[in-house]
Amino acid sequence: MKSKLIAPLSLAAAVAALFSLQIEMASSQLSSTARDPGVRGGPAGAGGPIAGLTARQSAFFTEGKTDFEEVEVVADGLGPRMNLDSCAGCHAQPATGGTSPLVNPQVTFASKDGGTDTVPFFITPNGPVREARFKFNADATRDGGVHNTATITGRTGAAGCVLAQPDFATQAANNNLIFRIPTPVFGAGLIEQIPDSVILANQAANASTKKSLGIAGHPNLVVSGRAITGSTNNNGNDGTIARFGWKAQNQTLLLFSGEAYNVEMGISNELFQQEREQNPNCQFATLPNDVTDTETKFTPAGLNAIEKFAFFQRFLAPPTPSPDTPGGATSISNGRSQFVSTGCALCHTPTLTTGNSTVAALKNQSANLFSDLLVHAMGPGLADNIVQGGAQGDEFRTAPLWGLGQRVFFLHDGRTTNLVEAIQAHQSAGDGTFGPSEANAVIDNFNRLPEGKKQDLLNFLRSL
């Protein structure tokens, strides 16, 4: 029996076959590249009260939530300059108390109630809610303050008030403009009740490993006008550790609330009693705009708004992670292991414990916040050159990661919706102004992971 001969391929056919094989291999490689699973779907895993509240505490939570969601108008003291007209407008994703929603309410707010504001170029329909800050004044001294995006000019109840918006375009052209997006406040009461001693003990833990990776871990000492990187941002008067805000600039939820009410909505209150914009033609409410109702005997109804905001945030439950979405329980479990082994957990501490809180529901609780609540030098790539307390121009608080799975925008300025891009942005070499990021070695570890393990880690983060 004679063997059948296989006709040789023509050169053209061979090239075509090879090209087809290369395309298949490239396609296969592309499909295996780790990628952000995206905003986790399903019901919001947050927004309700923390477990264990008494009936009275629950009433304080409910009253606070109602006020947090209330829309303010000129007659309430809104403005004269502001960024939005309600707390919940900024803190909306995935539920009240969260962060910037997918659809930015600042766009329609510019013309709300007859407003004549122009929407700034950095405010877009599908971009994050943003506040703007200028780094320096015209005389080269530090500014750092919030320059509001909106005014009450033209709005109902503001007759005779004419205000110009800041010249954001010129400030941007001069590289003097930076942005911040809202921080989520889920689980904030637990964060408030973590003792300073717990934060400092965690700071001192794993010292040799942190040092080998370039992660600083020193007490908050101010030496010759500079703060040591990786230090806590302490209150300037009483020396206690501040913990709320992008640079851990606020020590308590009441202070956080009072400042935001005045800065973001222009409503003066019992902590910040004066108007930021004092044009006499633009004052339409008594000062401070919001106070405790001393004529009522009832609480929580008679409380001032910032106390109600603080109680809502204090009693707001932490986000509930998903056990199996995205990627399945095994992938998420493996991703948690990679999160630790790469060094991410050295700054994003998985759990800190609250102390002997007066509120039983907050007492001796595990706060799974994934943050050490310290400020760290992040290099010129993330630096905003804004100094707040002991936090320098390239330093930021380790952002708590609980609830990350349902966030849309990442980093302090909301520059990306992609989790992989956010991770890579943590890596930055030093320049003439700022040193290198403390996260550089950890990001190198992440980048060396096989794509499958990277995907596990991303799945884990989106499960939070």
Side-chain angles (χ1 to χ4, degrees), residues 353-417:
T353 305
T354 66
N356 189 28
S357 173
T358 302
V359 177
L362 301 173
K363 182 177 181 179
N364 299 325
Q365 298 292 316
S366 294
N368 302 317
L369 72 168
F370 292 92
S371 172
D372 58 9
L373 299 177
L374 307 181
V375 292
H376 291 274
M378 300 309 299
L382 287 178
D384 62 4
N385 214 355
I386 302 292
V387 174
Q388 290 183 282
Q392 300 303 295
D394 62 339
E395 291 184 317
F396 293 91
R397 177 191 68 162
T398 304
L401 298 182
W402 55 6
L404 181 145
Q406 295 187 308
R407 291 182 206 167
V408 179
F409 304 100
F410 297 118
L411 303 174
H412 65 277
D413 51 11
R415 67 181 66 176
T416 182
T417 59

Side-chain angles (χ1 to χ4, degrees), residues 198-267:
V198 171
I199 296 172
L200 293 173
N202 179 65
Q203 183 181 38
N206 304 303
S208 61
T209 303
K210 290 175 181 175
K211 183 177 180 180
S212 69
L213 292 171
I215 299 171
H218 302 282
N220 183 33
L221 301 175
V222 178
V223 182
S224 300
R226 66 180 178 85
I228 295 177
T229 57
S231 62
T232 55
N233 191 12
N234 289 40
N235 183 288
N237 291 320
D238 71 0
T240 55
I241 296 174
R243 57 198 68 194
F244 297 107
W246 281 106
K247 296 210 174 197
Q249 66 267 24
N250 293 131
Q251 206 272 347
T252 67
L253 289 170
L254 184 60
L255 182 59
F256 182 74
S257 299
E259 183 180 79
Y261 209 27
N262 194 35
V263 172
E264 307 298 343
M265 283 188 276
I267 298 184

